[in-house]
Structure formats: structure tokens, C-alpha cells
Amino acid sequence: MPREIGRPVRRIIEDPSLITGKGRFVYDIDFKGTLYAVFIRSQYAHAKIKSIRCPEGALCYTAKDLPDLIGLAKEEALYQGQPLAVVLAEDEYKARDLAEQVEVEYEPLPAVIDVEEALKNVNKAKSDLSSNIVLEDNVEIGDVDSAFKNAYKVVEAEVINQRVIPSAMEPRGSVAYFDGRRLTVWSSTQNVFGLKDTLIQLLSKYGVNDVRVVQPFVGGAFGSKIYIYPEEALISYLAVLTGKPIKWFNTRTEEFMSTNHGRDMRLKFKAAFDKEGKLLGIEGTLIMDLGAPIREIYEDSFGMATTAARLLVGRYKVNALKVKVLGVATNKMFIGPYRGAGRPEATYFVERILNLGARALGVDQFEIREVNIIDEVSHYNTPTGMYYDSGKYRETLKIAKPFYHELLRKRDELRAKGKLAGVGVAIVSEIASFGTGTARVQLTPNGRIQVVSGFTPHGQGDATAFAQIAAEIFDVDVSQIDVLWGDTDLISHGSLTGGSTTLTVGGSAVYEASIRLKEKLLRVVGEKLGVRPEEIEYSNGKFYHKKGEMSLADTAREALRMGVYPEEEYSYTIRPYTSPYGIHIALVEVDRETGFVKVLEYKAFDDVGVVVNPLLAEGQVHGGALQGISQALYEETVYSKEGSLITSNFSDYVIPTAMEAVKVEWKSLALAKSDTPLGSKGIGELPAIAATPTILHAVEDAIGKNIYIMPTKPELILKLLNS
Ligand code: MCN
């Protein structure tokens, strides 16, 4: 039997229903007598809500009639799209018509949109704020003053990691069904257990304590479906109140206005370099535009900014850092986690610092990384208190170097033909895979193995990887494994799929539970055959001893006869997390006439330890790299100065299509493992983190000008070329 861990198995669990169009998404769930909910959302970015008048006789509820929920506006709207009221009707169209008849009387307040304006504190993003700077922190190590005193060159700039809209294929939506005692909610979420807890907290005062949350197929999330939004909680409340099933689904524009945005951090910095390009110190201010000042949300999301500041040093030997971190409130959609959550911003900033330094010093961008990189780490605490479990950074650079030179050669050939070509490089070393994951593995009477996971994958394919892990331990074909997930009824504890955690933490739980179940089954067989478990051989799904043999199905039935339940549950906790890393290189060509950028080659060298399924992991690299490229080249969130979201659908908000998709060549290095039972590290976010600076550096190299803002859209490039 081939080893299953490491085999490129297709997504046998997830894909059959998806590619035959049979996968059920929230929108496909329909009950007789369903009422459709449409939310009335603030048209203003900042306004007092003076009154809300519902149409006569309509099922219409304003915030004043509804339970207090984080993010629901009662008296003051803080961003355009914030929910204020909800109407219910027998069909979607009636509900939309009804929603248009709801009259909201606003008293517009000055909207604070631009973060630089917010810092001036002329207007406040919320009436009771004394300052728009709602949170502050300082990250400081070493002696910054002497770093600058000893500098050969000081580079000073502001680099912006712009606001992006997560753009999952499926907008948020839920269906809630109350049977008189139990509430069941199907939601396009990546956080079934978080939603269940919130609903119990909300509804127990109405006598509802039994709540089940189900995650049907979900069309992507990228971190934006972790947060428990008011809509999903409110339709649950309304299902209990009305006794009717309630369904709600966002339109694309509602989705863009009311689902968390990502990134929106800028770093104003001064960096000290010596003659060879050694980075001696960084001093600066990291400003995060938090968006709408909703305390419960920004207190959490500000953590992304402080993490970003602390990750500015780590893989590079920088001994002095002084960064003030400011969390600034504005009247835009609030920022939440988006593929990488703090690590893309950190990587972007430090990689930009290195390239701007390299350009100022006339040092090659690869060489400046060789000058600064730490050779390798093992259980390493960075000076700013982050942790890297393992990493062979210099070896990684050595492996990538010939490919970098190959791209330089190709670039020079293109240049010789008069083309604008450039090569970019970026190193990422991040942190991933957090917390606790639970799995139950059971042997069914027909000899199949059933794996139940408390995680909530929503496109990544982890279920197939879980099947491989169980198949490896039970030495059976993966087709003999079933995997269930995304339902709070299946298992009592669970965690959300995020932070590139599911394979490493959830897979370790599957691994440990499978091993324990196999040991339990050995004891059952030993008891039945009257021999010691150590004397029993096991292979190919069968227990062997000279006294007899038993299949998995025989063993399951025997176990039950003995009163032994053939299952094991295991909760695995990772301490503290893993540190995946890699180096990405790209070759681009810029059209001199139009300013369009074409990515000609993209090479990713990543080390995530043991890869359970190279096909799935490489899929993450393809999708993630494209998402990162998209931030560098296309994505731009535009608000009017009054706070209207101008890029409110896909005709205005540009994301790549298949036409722009890039051929990514991926090499999994597997030089440094994690300490987890699988030896794996997370891959879900790394490529998205690496791709943005890699592409920006390539464009900068092509046009020979420094770039400080993204996206590097054609207009910007033409302007820079002509400057
Ligand atoms: N994998 C592997 N070996 C490893 C690491 C991962 O075979 N050493 C495989 C896993 O089996 C899984 C995939 O790679 O199929 C990603 O695993 P992992 O790195 O554990 O990440 P998660 O499964 O926890 O996914 C979360 C991650 C995050 S944080 C975001 S954001 C993101 C991403 O995944 N959102 C996604 N990828 C996404 N992909 C899709 N299609 N949709 C999203 O919303």
C-alpha cells in the first residue's frame, strides 16, 4: 500500500458533488413557508438615525425592536451599509420592494474617510470619540539612535498596503429554522462554533438553548466569514420570534459594503543601512485604518497591526526597531482578517524597506537579502517576542538563487529587445496554525472509517487530506474513509478554519485519534483471539495472528458485542504555532504604451515541512499567489469623500479572471518540519503574503522607479514612466 501522506490525491471528498452541480449552498436550502429577510442599510457613512418608519402592516423591525447586537446601528450609523432595520416577506422580490418603502430619517454628520484627515481629529468618526486614534501601541527593541548614527544610508518613505475587499465567490447568507424548541441555522460561515455560542448567548433569554449551526458548501471566505455579523444573528432571532423559517442572502453590493475589508495599513519609516546593505534599524509609525469605530471589532483587529509591527524583524538580523502603532477610526467598513491578517502587511513593509534600500544603495535585491538573512532558526524567539519553530533560510536562498539568475537573464534578453522587463523577489517567514483542534475517528460496522472534524474548511480541500491521514494509519485506500465536518451536531468542540491551521492542527487531531483507535481495536482483537495485542500484525485493513484474522468490519462488530465503542476522539493543541516560510520570484513585462503589467513567470519556493497532499497545497499556492498579485496590480477600494463605496461591485472592483491567471511553478522544500505529529506547517496564506511584494518589486525593476502605492494600475505606471 503506498503511503497516503504525501500523495497528490484529488479532492475525492469535496469534488464529486461540486463538479456535478449537486453541492448544496445556503441559497439552495428552502423550506415551505420561508420568509425572506432584506436589511435596510445606512445610506450614509456617518449619520444620526432620527427615525425609521416601516411600511404599514409590514413585518419590519428596526434596531430599536431588535436585541442589542455588535454592529447593528441604533442611533448613529458609522459606515455606509451598516444594518439599521430588516423587513420580512414571502418572497425575495417582495422583501426588496418592501425594504425600499422603509423611510429612514438621517441627520448627516461629517464623515471621516481619509485616514490622514482622521489623524487631524477635526471631525470624529463617532460622536462620543475624543480622538479618532482609538488604540495605540509601541514596539521597541535595541538602540535605534545609534543605528541611525552609524548608518551609511538612511532611506525614508511611506509605504501603503491598501484596503482590499475579500471578494469570496459566495456572498454571506443564512437560513434559520426554529422547530419550537431547537434552532437550526445554515450559514455561509467559516465559524460554526462561534456562531452557535453567539446565538445561545443571544437567545437563551428567550428560552432557546438548543442551537445547531450547519455550514453547507461555502463559496470561499478568506477570513471574512469568521466574524459573527448582525444579519446571521438577527434572522435567527426572527425565526424564533415569528416561528417561520427565515432566509437572507446578501447581494454583491451589500456584501462589499458590509463584510469586513482587509489590510489598510501604512508605514511611515526611516531605515538605516550600512554600505553593504545591512539593515541596522527601523524607526517609524504604523497606521492602521480600522474603519468604523465598533469597539468589540477594532479591539480585535488592531492585533493585526501590532503583529505586523512585531514581525518587521525576525528572519532578518535587525537589532533596532522603534515603531509606534496607531489604530485610527474612520467611517468605512471595518477591517477584519483577510488571508494573512497582519502577516502580509508586515512582509510587505519589511520587503519594501529592503528593496527601497537596495535601490538607494545600488545593491542587488537578492544580495541585500543574503546580507540580512538569519542562517537558520530552531525554536527561536524573535527580539520582538514572536516565535519561529524551524527554518533554514540561507539554504532556501541558495536553492532559489540560480532561478533568480535565470529570470535576470530572461529579463535582460527582453530589455535587449527594447521591452520594459523586471524581476522581483520577496521572502516571507510568517506564523501559522494556532490553537486546538478536535477530531473523532470511528469504525463503522461495515468496516468504513469515519472521520469527524471540528474544523470548517470552505474550499481548501482539508477533508481529503484528513482521509489520507486516516487511510495511512489504517493502511486502507482513501476511498474507505468518510469525512464529515461543518456541523455543530457532529462533534461538541470545534475551531474555525483560518490562520492556515486546519491541516496542521486538525490533521494532527485526526492522526492522534486514528492511532488511538487502532490501538483500541488491537485490544479488541487480542481479547477475541485470546492473545496479547503486541502479538497481532496489522496490514491492509486486517488484523493477523496465527490463531485467526479479523477484518475491520469483524472488529467493529466484535467491539460492539464487547461493549467497546469503536471510536476515539482527540483534541490536539499546538504550542505556540508553526512558522512557514519561502521565497518567491517573478518576471514581469510592462507595456510601455498602455502601462499594463504581464506576469511572465512566477516561481515559489516554500517550506511548510511535510506536505500531506501536494496537489492541495499547490492549489493553495496557485490561488494564493494570484490573490497576492491581484493586490499588487488590480484591487482598489474607493470611497467618495462623503463615504460612499464607489467600487461596490465587480464592474468597478477589479479582481483577476482566468485571463489574468498566472502559471505558478511551485517547489515544496521540506527542509524544516514542525514539531506536530505530522511535521507540517500551514500553506493557506503564505503565497498570498509573498506574491504582493514580489510583483511590486518586479514592476519597480521594470520601470526603474520607486513605487509607494498599490495597485500599480496602468495609469500609475504611465504617470511614473513619464515623470
Ligand atoms: N496542506 C497540505 N500540507 C501542508 C499544509 C497544507 O497538504 N503542509 C493542504 C491542506 O490539506 C489543505 C490546504 O493545503 O487542503 C490548506 O491547508 P492549511 O494551510 O492548513 O490552511 P487551512 O485549511 O486552515 O485554510 C485556511 C487558509 C486561510 S487562513 C485562508 S484566508 C484561505 C485559504 O486557506 N481561504 C481560502 N485558502 C482558501 N482557499 C479557498 N478555496 N477558499 C478560501 O476561502
Side-chain angles (χ1 to χ4, degrees):
M1 171 89 26
R3 270 180 62 91
E4 285 299 333
I5 293 180
R7 208 156 72 80
V9 178
R10 283 170 190 262
R11 305 201 313 178
I12 49 166
I13 308 282
E14 296 91 341
D15 281 352
S17 46
L18 285 174
I19 59 180
T20 55
K22 303 269 168 46
R24 270 159 71 88
F25 293 78
V26 171
Y27 199 73
D28 301 317
I29 295 165
D30 246 323
F31 293 101
K32 227 172 158 182
T34 294
L35 293 176
Y36 291 80
V38 168
F39 285 83
I40 288 82
R41 298 175 182 280
S42 176
Q43 292 180 11
Y44 287 88
H46 194 194
K48 282 252 182 275
I49 310 299
K50 292 187 74 178
S51 67
I52 302 180
R53 242 206 4 256
C54 285
E56 197 83 30
L59 285 172
C60 171
Y61 308 85
T62 72
K64 291 203 169 104
D65 316 314
L66 295 166
D68 252 332
L69 274 168
I70 299 167
L72 185 69
K74 269 196 156 73
E75 277 147 16
E76 187 174 344
L78 301 173
Y79 62 92
Q80 187 198 38
Q82 189 171 13
L84 311 174
V86 55
V87 293
L88 302 176
E90 319 74 75
D91 73 51
E92 251 174 291
Y93 305 100
K94 276 195 187 140
R96 294 236 166 251
D97 288 346
L98 211 52
E100 283 186 8
Q101 293 165 36
V102 176
E103 287 173 19
V104 184
E105 198 187 338
Y106 299 93
E107 181 192 319
L109 296 169
V112 181
I113 302 304
D114 180 59
V115 74
E116 296 292 344
E117 287 301 313
L119 284 167
K120 291 181 194 152
N121 267 321
V122 176
N123 294 310
K124 308 291 183 313
K126 190 163 180 251
S127 306
D128 62 2
L129 286 183
S130 54
S131 165
N132 290 318
I133 301 172
V134 289
L135 288 169
E136 237 182 288
D137 201 358
N138 288 294
V139 178
E140 194 170 346
I141 55 155
D143 183 354
V144 175
D145 292 341
S146 65
F148 282 93
K149 236 181 266 154
N150 298 329
Y152 170 76
K153 186 116 212 154
V154 173
V155 174
E156 217 168 325
E158 179 180 16
V159 281
I160 301 177
N161 197 276
Q162 86 272 31
R163 173 176 285 251
V164 293
I165 301 180
S167 306
M169 227 190 305
E170 183 199 21
R172 292 184 296 114
S174 309
V175 173
Y177 185 95
F178 183 58
D179 70 3
R181 183 188 171 279
R182 172 168 236 230
L183 173 75
T184 305
V185 179
W186 292 261
S187 188
S188 174
T189 178
Q190 60 189 110
N191 190 3
V192 291
F193 285 94
L195 180 54
K196 176 178 170 167
D197 289 350
T198 303
L199 292 178
I200 291 176
Q201 265 174 34
L202 172 73
L203 297 170
S204 58
K205 53 176 158 305
Y206 305 100
V208 182
N209 293 300
D210 187 3
V211 174
R212 174 185 177 203
V213 177
V214 186
Q215 175 201 44
F217 274 106
V218 170
F222 307 111
S224 70
K225 295 175 181 172
I226 293 174
Y227 173 63
I228 311 303
Y229 292 84
E231 295 95 336
E232 50 195 339
L234 284 179
I235 67 144
S236 304
Y237 165 80
L238 291 171
V240 173
L241 188 80
T242 62
K244 303 265 186 164
I246 313 277
K247 184 168 181 172
W248 146 77
F249 207 75
N250 264 354
T251 62
R252 180 59 61 186
T253 296
E254 285 181 292
E255 182 72 2
F256 273 15
M257 289 194 305
S258 69
T259 299
N260 74 241
H261 292 175
R263 316 273 192 258
D264 215 341
M265 290 188 209
R266 59 194 62 210
L267 181 73
K268 297 175 196 226
F269 73 91
K270 236 172 40 167
F273 290 92
D274 76 8
K275 218 173 183 162
E276 280 71 47
K278 181 161 170 33
L279 183 50
L280 305 173
I282 307 170
E283 187 173 357
T285 308
L286 193 161
I287 300 165
M288 176 176 182
D289 181 344
L290 298 161
I294 301 171
R295 180 179 291 278
E296 294 81 353
I297 295 165
Y298 69 67
E299 281 188 339
D300 213 38
S301 52
F302 185 64
M304 295 189 281
T306 51
T307 301
R310 290 162 75 202
L311 279 172
L312 286 176
V313 301
R315 61 188 172 283
Y316 298 122
K317 288 173 258 173
V318 186
N319 296 322
L321 173 79
K322 188 174 175 186
V323 178
K324 185 187 262 308
V325 189
L326 302 178
V328 181
T330 57
N331 296 114
K332 292 183 288 210
M333 184 57 204
F334 52 77
I335 294 290
Y338 172 59
R339 205 166 192 171
R343 290 102 80 201
E345 297 85 336
T347 306
Y348 183 74
F349 294 145
V350 70
E351 294 302 303
R352 294 298 295 126
I353 290 173
L354 278 188
N355 267 47
L356 291 169
R359 293 174 63 76
L361 288 159
V363 174
D364 173 83
Q365 56 181 320
F366 202 96
E367 277 164 28
I368 201 167
R369 287 172 172 78
E370 290 178 315
V371 167
N372 285 288
I373 199 82
I374 290 179
D375 289 348
E376 59 177 83
V377 292
S378 172
H379 304 289
Y380 172 65
N381 291 305
T382 76
T384 51
M386 304 307 284
Y387 169 83
Y388 292 154
D389 56 356
S390 61
K392 296 196 170 167
Y393 303 139
R394 192 165 296 282
E395 203 171 327
T396 304
L397 259 65
K398 255 191 214 150
I399 294 169
K401 198 169 181 175
F403 296 92
Y404 172 71
H405 283 286
E406 180 197 321
L407 292 194
L408 286 187
R409 269 196 305 279
K410 290 185 179 172
R411 175 197 72 177
D412 294 343
E413 278 165 29
L414 288 165
R415 284 184 178 173
K417 290 183 198 151
K419 310 263 189 203
L420 281 179
V423 171
V425 63
I427 298 181
V428 56
S429 113
E430 53 132 352
I431 54 169
S433 314
F434 311 90
T436 299
T438 305
R440 188 168 63 243
V441 180
Q442 47 201 43
L443 179 62
T444 62
N446 54 16
R448 291 183 71 75
I449 311 277
Q450 192 176 69
V451 174
V452 179
S453 172
F455 276 93
T456 51
H458 43 276
Q460 296 84 351
D462 295 276
T464 295
F466 291 164
Q468 289 174 256
I469 295 166
E472 166 125 349
I473 289 167
F474 286 99
D475 201 13
V476 295
D477 192 78
V478 274
S479 60
Q480 218 173 306
I481 317 284
D482 299 312
V483 184
L484 307 176
W485 75 97
D487 184 341
T488 57
D489 265 7
L490 290 171
I491 195 160
S492 47
H493 302 283
S495 325
L496 58 95
T497 280
S500 308
T501 298
T502 310
L503 185 273
T504 297
V505 177
S508 293
V510 173
Y511 182 91
E512 293 289 345
S514 301
I515 284 183
R516 281 164 176 73
L517 176 59
K518 199 167 139 197
E519 283 165 1
K520 190 181 207 178
L521 297 175
L522 271 173
R523 291 196 292 275
V524 168
V525 175
E527 177 97 11
K528 170 74 179 166
L529 300 179
V531 299
R532 283 184 294 133
E534 310 85 79
E535 296 168 15
I536 302 163
E537 300 270 311
Y538 177 87
S539 73
N540 261 317
K542 268 198 175 151
F543 296 94
Y544 298 94
H545 189 274
K546 57 180 179 293
K547 286 194 173 170
E549 61 177 62
M550 282 171 76
S551 68
L552 284 172
D554 300 335
T555 313
R557 286 192 290 269
E558 195 51 45
L560 289 171
R561 262 197 295 276
M562 288 178 187
V564 176
Y565 201 62
E567 72 165 30
E568 279 293 324
E569 192 162 303
Y570 192 86
S571 285
Y572 178 79
T573 300
I574 190 164
R575 289 200 177 84
Y577 38 73
T578 67
S579 57
Y581 61 95
I583 176 165
H584 288 206
I585 313 168
L587 171 67
V588 305
E589 186 185 327
V590 175
D591 187 314
R592 214 185 282 275
E593 299 293 312
T594 63
F596 272 97
V597 177
K598 191 158 188 228
V599 181
L600 302 176
E601 294 204 31
Y602 194 98
K603 296 180 193 292
F605 302 82
D606 297 325
D607 191 356
V608 293
V610 172
V611 171
V612 170
N613 183 326
L615 206 56
L616 293 173
E618 189 166 348
Q620 288 295 308
V621 180
H622 287 211
L626 189 59
Q627 216 162 357
I629 292 170
S630 179
Q631 184 179 4
L633 298 181
Y634 310 120
E635 293 186 47
E636 186 176 30
T637 310
V638 184
Y639 277 91
S640 72
K641 62 180 189 316
E642 293 79 23
S644 274
L645 181 63
I646 291 173
T647 50
S648 63
N649 57 51
F650 283 129
S651 59
D652 296 318
Y653 188 80
V654 183
I655 59 166
T657 67
M659 292 299 288
E660 287 78 30
V662 169
K663 183 171 178 284
V664 175
E665 288 169 53
W666 184 57
K667 189 162 171 48
S668 156
L669 300 178
L671 299 170
K673 293 182 187 173
S674 70
D675 293 335
T676 62
L678 293 169
S680 61
K681 305 185 183 193
I683 186 83
E685 293 154 294
L686 189 152
I689 300 172
T692 308
T694 302
I695 293 299
L696 198 89
H697 294 162
V699 177
E700 219 169 35
D701 185 45
I703 64 173
K705 299 274 166 78
N706 292 350
I707 304 175
Y708 300 103
I709 54 171
M710 292 190 291
T712 53
K713 52 184 181 179
E715 302 92 290
L716 174 73
I717 290 177
L718 290 180
K719 203 167 128 198
L720 287 170
L721 281 174
N722 295 324
S723 64

